[in-house]
């Protein structure tokens, strides 16, 4: 949040909710003229939920505890989530990834992502697998290699193989989607940084 504010990308929010794990959900008003897709930046512990995404809202309670509203602002605030992502989790362009000498680092990146995925717990496994597949797809790795790399760790965290395959394919389709998202005809709540692990 400090980085985004310093870069001029954040000047307030609609609400802040404390999560049972001690993290936070920061809410922003949806800009219906510019739907924003969901994304994760694991290194920054940010999980953005936009069009098509959802969060557990305050004052809901789960087995882990209650979601509690900490602050509510008057008026509405929007945020350019793509600009925030570029700031906190810059990704190389596909063209650069395909031609850069850094391609040799793909093995190290794959190993790092697999290690992270294997630490995921129940309730975050499928979402984490989706994120991992998106990151590998962004490096230009072919689908067969992504499936080969992530199936075993997916099984180790106790995801069923059909779910693993479907999740990886969905992530690859999402990453390679170049068309603009369809216009949203109903309000969408955009929730930015979530520090739940």
């Amino acid at each position: 949040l400090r980085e985004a504010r310093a870069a001029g990308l954040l000047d307030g929010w609609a609400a802040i909710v404390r999560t049972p794990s001690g993290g936070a959900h920061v809410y922003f008003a949806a800009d219906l003229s510019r739907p924003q897709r969901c994304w994760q930046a694991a290194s920054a512990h940010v999980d953005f939920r936009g069009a098509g995404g959802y969060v557990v809202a305050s004052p809901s309670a789960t087995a882990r505890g209650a979601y509690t509203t900490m602050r509510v602002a008057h008026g509405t605030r929007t945020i350019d989530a793509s600009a925030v992502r570029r700031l906190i989790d810059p990704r190389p362009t596909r063209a650069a990834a395909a031609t850069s000498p850094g391609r040799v680092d793909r093995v190290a990146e794959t190993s790092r992502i697999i290690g992270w995925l294997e630490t995921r717990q129940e309730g975050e496994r499928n979402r984490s697998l989706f994120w991992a597949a998106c990151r590998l797809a962004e490096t230009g790795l072919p689908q067969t290699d992504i499936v080969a790399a992530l199936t075993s760790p997916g099984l180790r965290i106790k995801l069923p193989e059909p779910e693993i395959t479907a999740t990886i394919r969905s992530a690859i389709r999402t990453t390679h989607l170049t068309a603009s998202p369809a216009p949203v005809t109903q309000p969408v709540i955009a929730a930015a940084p979530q520090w739940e692990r």
Side-chain angles (χ1 to χ4, degrees):
L1 291 172
R2 281 193 297 268
E3 286 182 53
R5 187 184 293 277
L9 300 174
L10 175 70
D11 64 357
W13 45 76
I16 299 179
V17 171
R18 178 68 63 195
T19 68
S21 69
H25 291 173
V26 182
Y27 285 82
F28 301 91
D31 181 349
L32 299 181
S33 67
R34 185 187 57 184
Q36 302 187 78
R37 293 181 12 203
C38 301
W39 52 265
Q40 290 180 316
S43 61
H45 308 294
V46 173
D47 183 358
F48 180 82
R49 287 287 168 256
Y54 68 92
V55 296
V56 178
S58 173
S60 300
T62 68
R64 298 176 66 189
Y67 290 75
T68 308
T69 301
M70 304 300 289
R71 296 183 197 166
V72 176
H74 295 291
T76 58
R77 304 283 186 171
T78 60
I79 192 166
D80 184 344
S82 296
V84 172
R85 184 181 188 185
R86 287 192 297 273
L87 174 71
I88 64 172
D89 187 32
R91 312 300 308 178
T93 63
R94 284 199 195 99
T99 59
S100 165
R103 287 185 73 187
V104 296
D105 293 335
R106 190 183 285 162
V107 173
E109 176 72 357
T110 301
S111 178
R112 183 185 68 79
I113 287 173
I114 288 171
W116 173 82
L117 179 61
E118 290 179 334
T119 66
R120 303 299 89 192
Q121 301 297 316
E122 186 174 356
E124 60 185 6
R125 296 173 302 184
N126 184 279
R127 181 178 64 181
S128 298
L129 175 63
F130 182 87
W131 179 89
C134 286
R135 299 298 73 81
L136 293 183
E138 287 173 351
T139 71
L141 204 62
Q143 178 171 324
T144 52
D145 292 351
I146 296 172
V147 171
L150 297 180
T151 297
S152 290
L155 291 170
R156 282 195 288 276
I157 60 173
K158 299 187 176 10
L159 284 172
E161 190 163 359
E163 181 179 344
I164 293 168
T165 304
T167 299
I168 292 171
R169 287 182 179 155
S170 175
I172 292 168
R173 278 195 307 273
T174 299
T175 304
H176 293 155
L177 186 64
T178 56
S180 298
V184 175
T185 57
Q186 59 186 7
V188 176
I189 296 174
Q194 172 181 321
W195 289 279
E196 284 195 279
R197 295 182 186 227

